[in-house]
Every structure is written in structure tokens, then in C-alpha cells.
Amino acid sequence: MFASVFVVILGKLIKTNCQSFLGRPQLYGPSEALAKKAVEFECEVLDYPEDELILLQLFKVGDHNWLLGESTSLDGEVAVIPMIIKTSHEGYLECVASAQNNSEITPTVSHPHYLKVVEPVEGAEIIHSGPVELYEGNPLKLRCELSAGTHVSYKWLLNGQPVSQSPVRYVADDRLMIYRTSSGDSGSYVCVATNTFNKTRVFSSNSSKVVFTVKDLVSNPSITFTVLKEDSQNYSAVVTCESTRGTPPITFSLYNRTELVSNMTTDDRQATFKVPLVLDRHLGWLQCQANNSDRIAYSDWLPLEVVPVGGPVTMHYDFDLGENYAIVSLRFYCKVKKGSHPRYQWFLNKTLLQDRGSFYYVANEPPKQSILLLSVGRSSTGTYRCEVSDSFDNTTAISSKKHYLDKDVLNRLPILLVAVVFGCFTTLILLVSICCCIGVMFSELNLEMERMTVAYEGDLDLSMYNEDPDVVNTARGDEFDQTSEASLDEWLHIEEEKTTLEDEHV
């Protein structure tokens, strides 16, 4: 009986708890949606109290102050929550279930569900600060602005070609920045913005073209001048200022020291000025200035002085050897003592050699010299000379001495050279022979002296003496003196006997 009562009571408790328990809702819906389109989310509660109306509400996680949609369910029905998608709906969503008429039942929350909202891209436009014309070295900053679009990828085009990342180019998202522009950055820029929905639908928007012109700064100009003979007494200097780079128009100015001579704006990279000239007189220093922006480029200083050619014209040569030490090529050098604008001319016999031929090449290095390069052979045989005149007046020509060139003569050894070489060789042999003879004589002398020393030392037997060797040598010296005196007495005695015998004979 007690067990039956316990079972009845336990059943009532379980029923009461089940009626007050609300299970975790399940949220179903798309993971990606287009903006401004209607979609439906479903929320279902599997464990719910009987006869209770369940309220199901849709929120963004962490923001229950903004209700996205709601619906009710009775007896476990699946609640459908419709929505018009906005870009602000993107993020994690959750469904909150609660008993609408029973506050004692604790509300429950579903697991979060992520929603990606894709807004088709529209209205791409390039935004930039600064002018569309700029000089090299200046930065260029561009931004691609959209009127609509989420999850957008960007691509920049220059003259229809993609702009790639480089040390001077920064390409990231909607921005393009070129730190130091050059003329290669000139052209039309387009921003292409795209996004994709469900990996199947692609939306794209192209901006209008914006043309930027990057101008080259003018380079330092070169300055040269030629002499123009107006008549027999009057001359002019035709000065040329030229820059190798720079976007026209370019303004060239010619200065003589600090005085402005003239200026000129041109669409070319060069300008020409005419200045009066007096021969053999220093008239100052010229300089060109070039400008196509706020930066001025300067040339070197050039003296305005023309010296007519004068003095002797000298000519010398060197050569290259080939197989068997034969001369295969030769270079003539021609120089004049003075002259600021010389013109060099080469002649073979009476024929003028110009530029390049089958066996020669003329390399002018005015005003310093002119070089004639020759391939030695049958065609190059003949008499050569160099003639120098003023480039502006050929009536003052000065000629060098003539030089005859022949392959066989060049490769023949001179008699004097042969004699010198043979003489040097003979002298060397004599010197070696004399040195050998002297060496032999000294060797024999040294050997004889060694023999005499050994023989003299052999006459003495010092083994029987304990005295100092110096004492022994002194004793031998005394003995030698005594022997010498005895011999002298004996010789005198013999001489006396000879004298006596001669007297008796007489």
C-alpha cells in the first residue's frame, strides 16, 4: 500500500515538472541571403508544456533590444518567422522561446545561427585628391567608393591591364596608392568592384575612366655650339641646348654668366640660339637652363671661345700582333697643336678616307684627336697623311708628314735592331765566360793555400807538449831564426873559399 501511494505521488511530481519545463528551441534558416529579399526562418521547440502557447522571437546574439521577428506555437508546431533582409541583419541570430502566459516557465535560447547578407555592388566611382596632371616623383592616391555592396572584392585597371603590387605601388581593398609616380603610371584608371551570392551569382560595377598624366621632369640639358661663318669677317656661335627627357613644353634659357641672353619655349627637347662671336677671344661662359615645372635643370658651363687651328699636325701609330708575331692591325693618331673646332681628314695617297671602308675605320674624337684604324693587308698599302682645318673654314688646312705603309716592310726586322740584339747577346756570353774564368782561378788559388797550410802543420808534432799552442809556435819561430842564421854563415864561408881559389888560379 505504501509503494502504491509513492508511485502516485512521484507521477504527479513528474507531470508537474514536465508541464513547467521548456526545451531548447531549434532555429532553421538560410546561411546566406540577398539584401532587400524576403526569407523565412523556422523555430521549433521539441520539449514544451501541454496547453501552453509558446512565443518564439528572433534576435541578434547579444542584442535583445532589437526584435527581428516573432511567431507563436501551440503543441509543438513549427513557427515560421518571415523577414525582409537588411545588411544590418548579418551576424549570429538566435531564437528565444518563452511561455506567453506563464512567467514561471524559464525562457530558453537556441544555438546561434550565422547569416551572411550580400548586397549587390553598385555605383563604383574613383575618388582622388589632387590634379589629374602631376610630375614624376609625386604620390597618387585613389579610392574606389560604392553606393551599395557588401563582401566586395576590388580590382584596379590601368589602360585595361591589372595594376599589380610593387615596391612603389600599394594595392589593398578599395585603395590604390603609388608612392613615387613616373611617366609609366600615366593612363586611364578604372576600378572594378564585384561580389558573389551563393557562389553562383556574380554582381559587378565598373567605375568611369579617370585619366591621369604623369609628366617627366626635364633632365639637365647639354650645351654645345658650332661656329657659323657669316662672311670673311663675321662669325656667330650657334648654341644648342638639349635635354634627353622631359615632357614638353619646355622653356630653355641661355645665360652668359649671370646675364640672360635669350629664352625659348618649345615642344621639342632642344632649342637653338645664335650669339655673335670673335675668333681668338674669350667672350664669357655660357649655360643652358631648362624648365617644365617648378624645378629648373642646369647644364655645365661652356667657355665661349673659338681658337683657329694652328701649329704642326703630328701623326704616330701603334699596332697589334697576330700569329707568328706578324702585325695584323694598326692605329694612326692625328693631333694638332691648337684649335677648338678642328676638322680631321685622312688621305691614302690622294683618296679621302671617310667614316668606314673595307679595311679602315675613322674614329674622330674632336677636338683632341682623330684615329684611323687599319687592317694591315694588300689594300692598306700606300702613303697616309692627316689634314686638319677649322670646321667652319676649310681654307686653313694643315697637313701632317706622310707615312708609307706596307705589310712586308712592317713585318721585316730592321738591321739596326738585329745588330743591337746580336751585340747584346754576344756581350752577355763574354761576361759569363769572364766570370767563369775568374771563378776557376780563385778556386785553384784557394786549393793551393789549403795544401800549403796542411803541409806546414804536418811538420809539427805537438802531441808531446803540454804547453800552450801559442808558446809552441813562438819556440818554433825562434828555432827557425837560429837555422836561418846558421845557413847565412855557411853561405858566407862558401863564398870566401870561392874567392880564394880564384886568386890562386890567377
Side-chain angles (χ1 to χ4, degrees):
M1 180 178 178
F2 177 77
S4 300
V5 173
F6 177 76
V7 170
V8 171
I9 294 172
L10 181 61
K12 288 183 178 181
L13 289 173
I14 293 173
K15 182 176 181 181
T16 301
N17 289 334
C18 289
Q19 289 177 351
S20 62
F21 175 77
L22 187 61
R24 181 188 291 272
Q26 304 292 323
L27 178 61
Y28 309 102
S31 59
E32 188 173 354
L34 283 173
K36 302 179 182 179
K37 299 295 182 179
V39 298
E40 293 181 344
F41 286 89
E42 296 179 348
C43 192
E44 178 184 16
V45 180
L46 299 179
D47 298 323
Y48 53 89
E50 295 180 359
D51 301 327
E52 285 286 350
L53 184 64
I54 304 303
L55 178 64
L56 300 166
Q57 296 175 306
L58 191 61
F59 297 97
K60 290 193 73 173
V61 173
D63 186 7
H64 286 187
N65 294 323
W66 181 23
L67 178 64
L68 303 181
E70 63 180 7
S71 183
T72 56
S73 172
L74 185 63
D75 297 331
E77 294 176 346
V78 176
V80 177
I81 305 174
M83 288 178 59
I84 301 297
I85 298 298
K86 300 178 181 179
T87 56
S88 57
H89 290 159
E90 181 168 318
Y92 286 96
L93 308 181
E94 60 186 9
C95 178
V96 178
S98 61
Q100 190 169 15
N101 300 317
N102 189 347
S103 58
E104 295 181 357
I105 299 176
T106 304
T108 57
V109 181
S110 70
H111 291 295
H113 175 86
Y114 186 79
L115 175 65
K116 175 183 176 181
V117 178
V118 176
E119 182 182 37
V121 65
E122 294 179 358
E125 181 183 2
I126 293 178
I127 305 299
H128 63 92
S129 58
V132 295
E133 290 189 357
L134 63 160
Y135 284 93
E136 62 177 337
N138 291 318
L140 178 62
K141 300 178 182 179
L142 305 179
R143 183 170 60 86
C144 190
E145 190 174 89
L146 304 175
S147 60
T150 59
H151 301 282
V152 181
S153 60
Y154 297 88
K155 182 168 64 175
W156 291 92
L157 302 178
L158 172 58
N159 298 326
Q161 300 298 319
V163 178
S164 57
Q165 194 97 346
S166 75
V168 297
R169 290 177 178 173
Y170 175 75
V171 184
D173 298 329
D174 60 340
R175 297 180 183 276
L176 168 62
M177 181 172 180
I178 304 175
Y179 299 108
R180 291 181 59 86
T181 55
S182 65
S183 57
D185 298 314
S186 297
S188 60
Y189 286 81
V190 173
C191 168
V192 180
T194 58
N195 58 2
T196 305
F197 174 66
N198 274 341
K199 300 181 180 180
T200 56
R201 295 181 63 183
V202 179
F203 305 95
S204 178
S205 177
N206 291 11
S207 70
S208 300
K209 295 180 179 180
V210 179
V211 178
F212 291 91
T213 302
V214 181
K215 298 181 178 181
D216 286 330
L217 291 172
V218 66
S219 61
N220 290 335
S222 62
I223 180 171
T224 58
F225 74 85
T226 58
V227 182
L228 177 64
K229 185 177 181 180
E230 305 283 0
D231 52 47
S232 60
Q233 299 295 327
N234 297 315
Y235 297 88
S236 296
V238 180
V239 183
T240 301
C241 301
E242 183 174 9
S243 293
T244 57
R245 62 192 304 270
T247 302
I250 301 173
T251 300
F252 290 96
S253 303
L254 179 65
Y255 284 84
N256 189 342
R257 298 187 186 273
T258 59
E259 179 184 354
L260 176 64
V261 177
S262 181
N263 56 20
M264 178 187 302
T265 300
T266 175
D267 289 332
D268 298 324
R269 294 191 180 95
Q270 71 173 22
T272 303
F273 306 93
K274 184 182 287 189
V275 180
L277 190 63
V278 178
L279 298 183
D280 243 345
R281 183 178 173 185
H282 194 284
L283 301 175
W285 291 84
L286 300 179
Q287 185 187 59
C288 287
Q289 297 183 9
N291 175 27
N292 68 342
S293 64
D294 55 353
R295 172 181 173 271
I296 299 176
Y298 301 89
S299 74
D300 295 330
W301 289 100
L302 179 68
L304 182 57
E305 182 180 16
V306 176
V307 179
V309 296
V313 175
T314 58
M315 188 171 70
H316 68 279
Y317 71 91
D318 58 22
F319 53 83
D320 296 321
L321 299 178
E323 295 181 358
N324 301 323
Y325 301 99
I327 297 176
V328 294
S329 63
L330 183 141
R331 290 172 295 276
F332 279 117
Y333 299 87
C334 181
K335 296 183 179 180
V336 66
K337 183 177 182 180
K338 68 173 185 175
S340 59
H341 291 72
R343 178 177 60 182
Y344 293 92
Q345 290 181 308
W346 291 94
F347 292 89
L348 171 57
N349 299 325
K350 295 183 179 181
T351 303
L352 176 64
L353 304 179
Q354 292 181 331
D355 299 331
R356 181 189 295 271
S358 59
F359 62 91
Y360 71 89
Y361 174 70
V362 177
N364 289 317
E365 298 178 355
K368 180 181 178 183
Q369 64 182 359
S370 178
I371 305 174
L372 176 63
L373 295 89
L374 294 173
S375 175
V376 176
R378 182 173 300 176
S379 302
S380 62
T381 300
T383 302
Y384 291 84
R385 67 184 178 89
C386 172
E387 190 174 278
V388 185
S389 63
D390 290 313
S391 61
F392 52 89
D393 186 2
N394 58 4
T395 61
T396 58
I398 306 174
S399 182
S400 69
K401 293 181 179 180
K402 297 179 181 180
H403 188 97
Y404 180 76
L405 176 66
D406 182 90
K407 180 179 179 181
D408 296 332
V409 174
L410 281 173
N411 290 292
R412 184 185 305 152
L413 289 176
I415 297 175
L416 179 60
L417 177 62
V418 174
V420 170
V421 172
F422 181 76
C424 291
F425 183 71
T426 304
T427 304
L428 179 63
I429 292 176
L430 290 174
L431 290 174
V432 172
S433 301
I434 293 171
C435 290
C436 291
C437 292
I438 294 174
V440 171
M441 292 174 62
F442 272 101
S443 297
E444 292 180 353
L445 182 59
N446 289 333
L447 182 60
E448 184 65 25
M449 292 179 67
E450 290 177 359
R451 288 176 181 174
M452 292 175 64
T453 303
V454 172
Y456 178 72
E457 290 177 351
D459 292 338
L460 296 177
D461 185 7
L462 302 178
S463 60
M464 60 182 295
Y465 295 99
N466 294 325
E467 290 87 0
D468 192 336
D470 293 335
V471 175
V472 174
N473 289 335
T474 304
R476 293 194 61 180
D478 295 341
E479 180 182 351
F480 177 76
D481 292 339
Q482 294 175 2
T483 303
S484 300
E485 292 177 358
S487 299
L488 180 60
D489 292 341
E490 183 179 356
W491 179 78
L492 292 174
H493 178 69
I494 293 171
E495 289 295 324
E496 289 178 357
E497 288 183 353
K498 286 183 179 180
T499 305
T500 303
L501 289 174
E502 289 177 355
D503 292 340
E504 291 178 354
H505 180 70
V506 171

